[in-house]
């Protein structure tokens, strides 16, 4: 299956992508991983991206599209893939259609994870990260530490990252509504979109998603 995963920041796309890719037996292709891999390997596209990023500029669509195409051309993606974070806007969505058409293939579906805006703000703004180890994360409501402000794992100080502040989250949502949300209507016109609620336990959301993507197996 060839699937695009969309949804606002805080919808749990990364978590769901990992589970869905495993259940569908396809590689999980995320924009973040593509950038990190290309930059660390010093590929021509990675060097281009790094130049833009060092200058504080947005990486042009053609660079992102090029990275995604290279990844989709790898052998493990020939039978399918799950795209997470790509396409991010209409230009990228149209470029993806062209890439797939050249290979005589098409998307099987676009999974839209729906979360109310205030829930997104609550999820992200409530996150607290350990200063000693950023992999240790907690939440003021959903995953409280035993002692307020102290990491249960290593005893480090818990703090709110700048990009997790409410103001920053609302700005990220504005960008999502402006840049990414239009691709949902674009794919709806192609009859590809299935929308599910991303509220509830991770396993429940995964089950919902699999039922939407493979209704015959539900």
């Amino acid at each position: 299956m060839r699937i695009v995963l969309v949804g606002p920041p805080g919808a749990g796309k990364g978590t769901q992508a990992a589970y869905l890719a495993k259940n569908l037996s396809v590689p999980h292709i995320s924009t973040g991983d593509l950038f990190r891999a290309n930059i660390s390997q010093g590929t021509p596209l990675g060097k281009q991206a790094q130049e833009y990023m060092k200058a504080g500029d947005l990486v042009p669509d053609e660079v992102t599209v090029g990275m995604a195409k290279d990844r989709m051309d790898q052998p493990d993606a020939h039978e399918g893939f799950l795209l997470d974070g790509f396409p991010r806007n209409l230009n990228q969505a149209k470029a993806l259609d062209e890439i797939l058409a050249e290979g005589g293939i098409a998307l099987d579906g676009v999974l839209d994870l729906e979360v109310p805006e205030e829930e997104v703000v609550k999820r992200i703004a409530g996150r607290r990260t350990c200063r000693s180890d950023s992999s240790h994360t907690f939440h003021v409501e959903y995953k409280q530490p035993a002692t307020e402000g102290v990491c249960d794992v290593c005893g480090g100080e818990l703090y709110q990252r700048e990009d997790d502040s409410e103001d920053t989250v609302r700005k990220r949502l504005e960008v999502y509504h402006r840049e990414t949300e239009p691709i949902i209507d674009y794919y709806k016109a192609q009859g590809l979109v299935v929308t599910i609620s991303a509220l509830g336990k991770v396993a429940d959301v995964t089950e919902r998603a699999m039922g939407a993507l493979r209704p015959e197996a539900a």
Side-chain angles (χ1 to χ4, degrees), residues 2 4 9 17 54 77-78 91 101 119 123-125 135 152 174 193:
R2 296 174 179 87
V4 167
K54 279 183 178 177
H78 286 177
N91 284 339
E119 174 64 19
R123 285 184 181 185
I124 300 178
S135 70
D152 286 353
E174 286 175 13
V193 178

Side-chain angles (χ1 to χ4, degrees), residues 111-115 194-199 205-206 208-210 212:
L111 181 64
D112 173 28
L113 299 181
E114 193 172 63
V115 185
V194 286
T195 301
I196 66 161
S197 168
L199 296 177
V205 178
T206 304
R208 237 175 268 150
M210 288 300 296

Side-chain angles (χ1 to χ4, degrees), residues 101-124:
E102 286 171 9
I105 54 180
L107 289 175
D108 292 297
V110 174
L111 181 64
D112 173 28
L113 299 181
E114 193 172 63
V115 185
E117 191 155 310
E118 289 310 309
E119 174 64 19
V120 168
V121 174
K122 185 193 296 184
R123 285 184 181 185
I124 300 178

